[in-house]
Amino acid sequence: VWFAGARGSVATTTIVGSLLLRAGLARPVGCVTALPDFPSDGLVGVADLVFGGHDVVDVPLAKRAEQLVSAGVLPAEPVAAIAGQLGEAATELRPAPVSGDVVAAIAADLTAFRERVGADRVVVVNLTPTEPPLDPLPAHSDADGLLAALASSELRLPPSSLYACAAFVAGCSFVDFTPSPGVRVPAVAELAIRAEVPYAGNDGKTGETLLKSVLAPMFARRNLNVRSWSGLNLLGAGDGANLADPGARASKLASKDRVLAGTLGDVPPGEVGIGYVPDLGDWKTAWNLVTFDGFLGVPMRLEFTWHGCDSALAAPLVLDLARLVAAAHRDGRVGPLPELGFFFKDPLGDGPHGLDAQWRELTAFAAGLGQP
Ligand SMILES: NC(=O)c1ccc[n+]([C@@H]2O[C@H](COP(=O)([O-])OP(=O)(O)OC[C@H]3O[C@@H](n4cnc5c(N)ncnc54)[C@H](O)[C@@H]3O)[C@@H](O)[C@H]2O)c1
């Protein structure tokens, strides 16, 4: 598993968490693929995953783990017990290429990693900071033209798309855990088809949108009339600081918007806000207010408050996605994997947005893994 953004909160929590699981020092709470609905013989074991990655900062992984221990995200004693394994994992992290032919340099690191660790296949997971939308998307419709334009610096693309290109050039699958442009660029998607590899996305569904994807189908099924739906998300840490930028915030808000349209038909009026509160650190507070009416137009309201630890919610999903996408790659799946919509705020394809319907698609997909 190769992380773009390997020293960030989610990547560090994922690496530490998988080492703790392997050492028997943690239980797979939050790991969907640990449920009995997922055939263990169809998926690579968490203990068999090997991690590497790129980052633009060089803060030692042990230091990042220490920070997450101090923040209460990671447990102190078990983390101390795996210090040796963490040191070993850190040897597979590399400085992110940022100049010259970035795609070729990333692809070379991916190929070298796959050979060095003897992996059957590599899944690249994008965990870099959320980027603003690309509007318009670059019109290079042909993958070769895109690669040539990138190599000569005639065209610039954001890191999410560069990592996706490099993954496909190196024959790796790709997961976009962010709402960034990534594979949305048509010629990048074409590269995946040409390389015959699968990809999944977009934007991990870990908090407010997860709740919406459960509650909105309830209103729809009970034929209650949702009149407005508003929310405020307050978060700290690196993700919070980055989302204070209006461009990055626009990508996140667009991604969050899909669930109500997909479950209620129309997006009811309301405001969704994102605010940066450094004091919250890795915790996120989402507050939502839904006004609706019932029989004879009687007005009612629902409010919820969610206090989630973002990285603890995201890391097990990253492990799930790595296992599922690696299995899809092994089974010869090519292009988008809409069946993994369960994990995302803005799923690929035209699949359902309600969590239960997405769960049925996911388990049907998992049941087919490894079948001839
Ligand atoms: N935590 C969640 O619940 C959740 C849910 C959905 C989406 N996400 C998204 O996941 C991403 C990661 O979140 P996080 O909390 O770990 O953020 P973070 O800020 O802690 O980590 C991002 C890391 O990416 C690195 N980086 C920046 N530019 C890079 C580049 N060009 N190449 C390689 N690395 C680069 C940064 O140095 C940093 O270490 C964000 O985009 C966030 O929006 C998180």
Side-chain angles (χ1 to χ4, degrees), residues 18-354:
S18 82
L19 294 175
L20 292 175
L21 286 170
R22 185 187 306 179
L25 294 172
R27 291 185 304 120
V29 176
C31 292
V32 175
T33 50
L35 291 168
D37 311 76
F38 294 82
S40 58
D41 53 352
L43 298 173
V44 59
V46 172
D48 294 324
L49 297 174
V50 184
F51 298 93
H54 283 125
D55 206 302
V56 288
V57 298
D58 58 4
V59 43
L61 196 56
K63 179 89 193 150
R64 282 299 281 126
E66 221 176 86
Q67 289 165 352
L68 289 164
V69 167
S70 305
V73 179
L74 295 174
E77 270 181 41
V79 171
I82 53 132
Q85 292 98 305
L86 195 57
E88 241 171 72
T91 63
E92 289 298 346
L93 304 193
R94 297 284 179 277
V98 288
S99 59
D101 190 346
V102 171
V103 170
I106 297 171
D109 280 347
L110 292 172
T111 308
F113 170 69
R114 182 170 51 212
E115 284 168 10
R116 199 166 47 245
V117 304
D120 296 321
R121 53 197 75 79
V122 174
V123 185
V124 176
V125 184
N126 179 32
L127 292 173
T128 58
T130 292
E131 299 153 358
L134 270 185
D135 191 18
L137 288 167
H140 281 80
S141 54
D142 144 65
D144 284 322
L146 177 88
L147 290 178
L150 287 172
S152 67
S153 303
E154 177 201 316
L155 174 70
R156 290 189 185 282
L157 285 181
S160 61
S161 298
L162 298 178
Y163 280 103
C165 284
F168 302 148
V169 165
C172 306
S173 53
F174 183 76
V175 175
D176 207 330
F177 205 75
T178 81
S180 300
V183 191
R184 294 175 210 266
V185 178
V188 179
E190 192 196 317
L191 266 178
I193 307 293
R194 205 170 71 175
E196 300 188 342
V197 293
Y199 61 89
N202 292 303
D203 202 8
K205 180 161 77 175
T206 56
E208 180 191 52
T209 311
L210 176 65
L211 275 124
K212 280 182 168 175
S213 71
V214 174
L215 292 171
M218 175 200 74
F219 286 110
R221 296 242 173 99
R222 281 295 174 98
N223 199 12
L224 294 166
N225 180 35
V226 176
R227 296 174 59 88
S228 74
W229 197 315
S230 299
L232 177 61
N233 296 270
L234 301 173
L235 68 167
D239 198 20
N242 181 56
L243 292 175
D245 170 72
R249 196 163 58 227
S251 284
K252 199 55 123 180
L253 288 173
S255 170
K256 281 174 165 289
D257 220 26
R258 313 271 192 258
V259 62
L260 294 185
T263 47
L264 297 176
D266 290 319
V267 181
E271 297 290 330
V272 181
I274 296 179
Y276 177 42
V277 181
D279 193 49
L280 287 177
D282 282 272
W283 269 257
K284 185 173 87 176
T285 292
W287 173 78
N288 270 217
L289 168 67
V290 187
T291 59
F292 62 100
D293 50 43
F295 195 41
L296 311 178
V298 176
M300 297 176 238
R301 53 197 272 173
L302 163 81
E303 284 173 54
F304 71 73
T305 312
W306 168 263
H307 298 288
C309 174
D310 256 0
S311 303
L313 289 162
L317 303 186
V318 172
L319 291 174
D320 288 328
L321 285 162
R323 301 179 76 198
L324 291 162
V325 174
H329 187 184
R330 176 203 61 208
D331 288 0
R333 283 289 303 264
V334 174
L337 295 172
E339 300 95 326
L340 301 186
F342 178 81
F343 294 99
F344 296 109
K345 291 190 195 67
D346 183 13
L348 297 168
D350 300 322
H353 284 260

